[in-house]
Amino acid sequence: TTRHAVRKKRSKTKLGGEGKWEYLVGDAPVHFNAEGSTIMESSSNPIFSRKDTDRHFQWRIRNLPYPSENYEISIDHSDNKIVVRTKNKKYYKRIEVPEMKMLDASLSEGALSWHHANNTLVVSHQKPREVLELELKDKTERKTMETRKDDGDVQCNQQ
């Protein structure tokens, strides 16, 4: 399929080494070792993840049990981030959109939408034309790339 299940990037550390993976789309794998760890994150904590559609940037926040009228979703134009907060001050999140930051484009209130159902808050922002064109270009570039059967088993000679 052409839909991204996971998109991640790795940047250099201050000393030039490889840093940790930053997950842009999808969830990081959860690792829990019952033998070595005695503390585990609560399963009732809110879980934030990004799942884009063809036309929208989309974020899902699971385990938010409050009624719909309790949520305030807005755009902070000074930081160009989406702000999710509850009126009862139990949840607060600032969402950055790396694609918009890369294109130096601003978020708009008219393109922002959200709904709440089954303890999940879904926040969507319509993708601007520039992002759609960039994704189409990437998609056609991936289709033209030559893949080989032994791509994953390449022999690396050490010096």
Side-chain angles (χ1 to χ4, degrees):
T1 64
T2 59
R3 186 169 291 170
H4 287 289
V6 173
R7 183 186 307 144
K8 57 186 177 177
K9 74 174 188 175
R10 180 185 270 182
S11 56
K12 300 278 185 188
T13 62
K14 291 181 181 178
L15 298 176
E18 289 188 351
K20 293 185 176 184
W21 286 105
E22 178 185 350
Y23 284 81
L24 302 175
V25 175
D27 296 325
V30 178
H31 300 289
F32 179 72
N33 183 2
E35 294 174 4
S37 298
T38 56
I39 298 176
M40 183 175 161
E41 185 177 335
S42 172
S43 62
S44 63
N45 281 353
I47 300 169
F48 178 80
S49 66
R50 180 174 163 180
K51 306 279 188 204
D52 287 355
T53 64
D54 292 335
R55 297 251 172 228
H56 292 87
F57 300 117
Q58 194 172 80
W59 300 269
R60 295 173 184 269
I61 309 168
R62 295 190 308 252
N63 295 337
L64 286 178
Y66 314 111
S68 294
E69 52 274 354
N70 195 27
Y71 299 101
E72 295 177 353
I73 289 84
S74 61
I75 294 177
D76 182 1
H77 293 287
S78 62
D79 281 345
N80 205 31
K81 294 182 180 178
I82 299 171
V83 179
V84 178
R85 69 180 70 166
T86 56
K87 291 179 183 175
N88 62 359
K89 300 186 181 194
K90 298 285 183 179
Y91 187 80
Y92 181 83
K93 179 79 174 172
R94 298 176 67 82
I95 304 170
E96 184 177 38
V97 187
E99 291 87 352
M100 299 293 276
K101 188 176 182 181
M102 181 182 70
L103 292 173
D104 200 30
S106 60
L107 299 167
S108 68
E109 297 276 351
L112 185 66
S113 63
W114 65 275
H115 68 277
H116 182 266
N118 301 323
N119 286 348
T120 301
L121 179 68
V122 179
V123 180
S124 300
H125 189 279
Q126 191 172 12
K127 292 179 182 178
R129 183 180 42 81
E130 296 88 9
V131 173
L132 293 172
E133 290 172 357
L134 186 65
E135 286 180 352
L136 183 63
K137 180 182 160 196
D138 286 346
K139 184 178 173 182
T140 55
E141 189 176 308
R142 280 193 308 270
K143 282 186 177 182
T144 60
M145 291 175 73
E146 185 179 315
T147 58
R148 295 188 324 245
K149 190 174 184 176
D150 63 342
D151 246 357
D153 297 325
V154 177
Q155 189 64 270
C156 294
N157 296 327
Q158 294 184 358
Q159 297 179 359

